[in-house]
Amino acid sequence: MTRTRPVQTDHGKVLFERFVDLWNGEVDFADTQEFIADDFTVHSAELARYLGFPDSRQITTRDGLLDWVTAVRTLLHDVRFTTRPGPLREGDLVAGGYTVTGTYAGGAPTATVAPGTAVRYSGMSIVRLENDKIAEYWVLSDALGLLSQLGAVPRP
Protein backbone atom coordinates (compact mmCIF):
# COMPACT_ATOMS: atom_id res chain seq x y z
CA MET A 1 0.00 0.00 0.00
CA THR A 2 1.58 3.22 -1.14
CA ARG A 3 0.15 6.57 -0.22
CA THR A 4 0.35 9.57 -2.49
CA ARG A 5 2.87 12.08 -1.21
CA PRO A 6 2.03 15.73 -0.87
CA VAL A 7 4.20 18.00 -2.99
CA GLN A 8 7.18 19.09 -0.88
CA THR A 9 8.62 22.57 -1.01
CA ASP A 10 11.19 22.04 1.77
CA HIS A 11 14.43 21.03 0.03
CA GLY A 12 15.51 18.80 2.94
CA LYS A 13 12.25 16.89 2.81
CA VAL A 14 12.59 16.54 -0.97
CA LEU A 15 16.06 15.01 -0.46
CA PHE A 16 14.64 12.60 2.13
CA GLU A 17 11.93 11.51 -0.33
CA ARG A 18 14.57 10.97 -3.05
CA PHE A 19 16.45 8.82 -0.53
CA VAL A 20 13.31 6.70 -0.03
CA ASP A 21 12.88 6.55 -3.81
CA LEU A 22 16.44 5.21 -4.04
CA TRP A 23 15.52 2.28 -1.78
CA ASN A 24 12.38 1.74 -3.87
CA GLY A 25 14.42 1.40 -7.07
CA GLU A 26 13.08 4.64 -8.56
CA VAL A 27 16.41 6.50 -8.74
CA ASP A 28 19.24 5.66 -11.12
CA PHE A 29 22.44 5.13 -9.14
CA ALA A 30 24.24 7.64 -11.38
CA ASP A 31 21.83 10.35 -10.18
CA THR A 32 22.68 9.81 -6.50
CA GLN A 33 25.71 12.10 -6.77
CA GLU A 34 23.16 14.95 -6.91
CA PHE A 35 21.80 14.28 -3.42
CA ILE A 36 24.10 11.83 -1.58
CA ALA A 37 27.48 13.08 -0.33
CA ASP A 38 30.63 11.28 -1.46
CA ASP A 39 31.52 10.73 2.20
CA PHE A 40 28.43 9.08 3.66
CA THR A 41 28.16 7.53 7.11
CA VAL A 42 25.60 4.96 8.30
CA HIS A 43 24.66 4.32 11.92
CA SER A 44 22.71 1.08 12.36
CA ALA A 45 22.40 -2.11 14.33
CA GLU A 46 24.51 -5.15 13.54
CA LEU A 47 21.63 -7.58 12.90
CA ALA A 48 21.64 -7.14 9.12
CA ARG A 49 24.82 -9.20 8.83
CA TYR A 50 22.71 -12.29 9.59
CA LEU A 51 21.05 -11.74 6.22
CA GLY A 52 24.35 -11.72 4.37
CA PHE A 53 24.42 -7.94 3.98
CA PRO A 54 27.62 -5.96 4.20
CA ASP A 55 28.18 -4.52 7.67
CA SER A 56 26.26 -1.27 7.33
CA ARG A 57 28.22 0.20 10.24
CA GLN A 58 31.29 0.16 7.97
CA ILE A 59 29.69 2.22 5.19
CA THR A 60 31.59 5.48 4.72
CA THR A 61 30.93 6.34 1.05
CA ARG A 62 28.07 6.79 -1.39
CA ASP A 63 29.24 3.64 -3.22
CA GLY A 64 29.04 1.68 0.03
CA LEU A 65 25.46 2.87 0.45
CA LEU A 66 24.61 1.81 -3.09
CA ASP A 67 26.06 -1.65 -2.43
CA TRP A 68 23.80 -1.91 0.63
CA VAL A 69 20.72 -0.77 -1.34
CA THR A 70 21.55 -3.39 -3.99
CA ALA A 71 21.85 -6.11 -1.31
CA VAL A 72 18.43 -5.26 0.14
CA ARG A 73 16.79 -5.09 -3.29
CA THR A 74 18.38 -8.46 -4.20
CA LEU A 75 17.14 -10.13 -1.01
CA LEU A 76 13.59 -8.76 -1.31
CA HIS A 77 11.91 -8.65 -4.69
CA ASP A 78 9.27 -5.97 -5.17
CA VAL A 79 10.54 -4.22 -2.05
CA ARG A 80 8.61 -1.07 -1.21
CA PHE A 81 9.40 1.51 1.48
CA THR A 82 6.40 3.61 2.47
CA THR A 83 7.09 6.64 4.67
CA ARG A 84 4.77 7.54 7.50
CA PRO A 85 5.03 9.65 9.54
CA GLY A 86 7.25 12.12 7.84
CA PRO A 87 9.31 13.47 6.53
CA LEU A 88 9.76 15.75 9.52
CA ARG A 89 12.54 18.33 9.61
CA GLU A 90 14.44 20.16 12.29
CA GLY A 91 17.51 22.07 11.16
CA ASP A 92 19.82 19.82 9.20
CA LEU A 93 18.00 16.63 10.30
CA VAL A 94 15.10 15.01 8.45
CA ALA A 95 13.30 11.96 9.81
CA GLY A 96 10.53 9.60 8.91
CA GLY A 97 9.02 6.31 9.90
CA TYR A 98 8.68 3.61 7.29
CA THR A 99 7.10 0.28 6.54
CA VAL A 100 8.80 -2.14 4.17
CA THR A 101 6.97 -4.81 2.22
CA GLY A 102 8.49 -7.28 -0.17
CA THR A 103 8.90 -10.89 -1.18
CA TYR A 104 11.89 -12.92 -0.05
CA ALA A 105 13.96 -13.83 -3.11
CA GLY A 106 16.28 -16.32 -1.44
CA GLY A 107 19.96 -16.13 -0.69
CA ALA A 108 20.08 -15.17 2.98
CA PRO A 109 22.51 -17.64 4.58
CA THR A 110 20.49 -18.17 7.75
CA ALA A 111 16.94 -18.04 6.31
CA THR A 112 14.84 -21.20 6.45
CA VAL A 113 11.69 -20.02 4.63
CA ALA A 114 11.12 -20.59 0.94
CA PRO A 115 11.68 -17.88 -1.63
CA GLY A 116 8.37 -16.19 -2.35
CA THR A 117 7.57 -15.62 1.34
CA ALA A 118 5.99 -12.18 1.89
CA VAL A 119 7.61 -9.99 4.54
CA ARG A 120 6.71 -6.75 6.26
CA TYR A 121 8.67 -4.74 8.82
CA SER A 122 8.93 -1.18 10.08
CA GLY A 123 11.53 1.30 11.19
CA MET A 124 12.68 4.90 11.50
CA SER A 125 15.23 6.83 9.46
CA ILE A 126 17.02 10.07 10.21
CA VAL A 127 19.30 11.77 7.71
CA ARG A 128 21.67 14.69 8.24
CA LEU A 129 22.06 17.22 5.48
CA GLU A 130 25.35 18.88 4.63
CA ASN A 131 25.90 21.20 1.65
CA ASP A 132 22.48 20.26 0.18
CA LYS A 133 23.24 16.54 0.24
CA ILE A 134 22.55 13.65 2.58
CA ALA A 135 25.78 12.97 4.47
CA GLU A 136 24.72 10.79 7.38
CA TYR A 137 22.02 8.18 8.00
CA TRP A 138 20.70 6.68 11.21
CA VAL A 139 18.42 3.69 10.77
CA LEU A 140 16.50 1.77 13.37
CA SER A 141 14.58 -1.07 11.75
CA ASP A 142 12.84 -4.12 13.05
CA ALA A 143 15.62 -6.34 11.72
CA LEU A 144 14.80 -8.94 14.36
CA GLY A 145 11.21 -9.06 13.06
CA LEU A 146 12.50 -9.51 9.50
CA LEU A 147 14.91 -12.23 10.62
CA SER A 148 12.04 -13.97 12.39
CA GLN A 149 9.82 -13.80 9.28
CA LEU A 150 12.65 -15.35 7.27
CA GLY A 151 13.10 -18.14 9.79
CA ALA A 152 16.62 -16.95 10.58
CA VAL A 153 15.82 -16.76 14.28
CA PRO A 154 13.16 -18.62 16.26
CA ARG A 155 9.78 -16.91 16.49
CA PRO A 156 8.78 -15.91 20.01
Side-chain angles (χ1 to χ4, degrees):
M1 174 170 88
T2 303
R3 69 182 181 100
T4 304
R5 295 184 193 163
V7 175
Q8 288 295 342
T9 56
D10 180 302
H11 184 65
K13 291 180 180 181
V14 170
L15 293 177
F16 185 90
E17 289 180 347
R18 287 199 70 199
F19 189 64
V20 173
D21 290 344
L22 171 66
W23 288 95
N24 285 334
E26 298 170 2
V27 173
D28 187 295
F29 281 9
D31 295 335
T32 59
Q33 65 185 349
E34 298 170 6
F35 67 99
I36 304 290
D38 292 338
D39 296 325
F40 182 88
T41 303
V42 174
H43 307 277
S44 69
E46 185 179 358
L47 285 174
R49 72 183 171 95
Y50 292 101
L51 295 173
F53 294 158
D55 185 350
S56 55
R57 297 171 306 152
Q58 302 298 317
I59 295 172
T60 59
T61 64
R62 179 178 48 247
D63 287 340
L65 168 67
L66 298 179
D67 289 345
W68 187 27
V69 169
T70 298
V72 170
R73 296 195 54 74
T74 300
L75 181 75
L76 300 176
H77 286 178
D78 66 347
V79 69
R80 187 77 192 161
F81 287 72
T82 304
T83 304
R84 186 162 186 174
L88 308 169
R89 181 172 184 184
E90 182 172 322
D92 64 351
L93 300 175
V94 185
Y98 62 83
T99 300
V100 178
T101 56
T103 306
Y104 175 55
T110 58
T112 60
V113 300
T117 300
V119 297
R120 178 184 183 96
Y121 65 99
S122 298
M124 288 288 302
S125 293
I126 302 171
V127 299
R128 185 181 62 79
L129 308 175
E130 183 178 289
N131 299 321
D132 288 329
K133 293 185 178 185
I134 298 172
E136 207 164 357
Y137 176 42
W138 289 264
V139 60
L140 177 62
S141 67
D142 183 15
L144 187 57
L146 176 59
L147 288 167
S148 179
Q149 291 174 63
L150 295 177
V153 296
R155 288 188 180 245

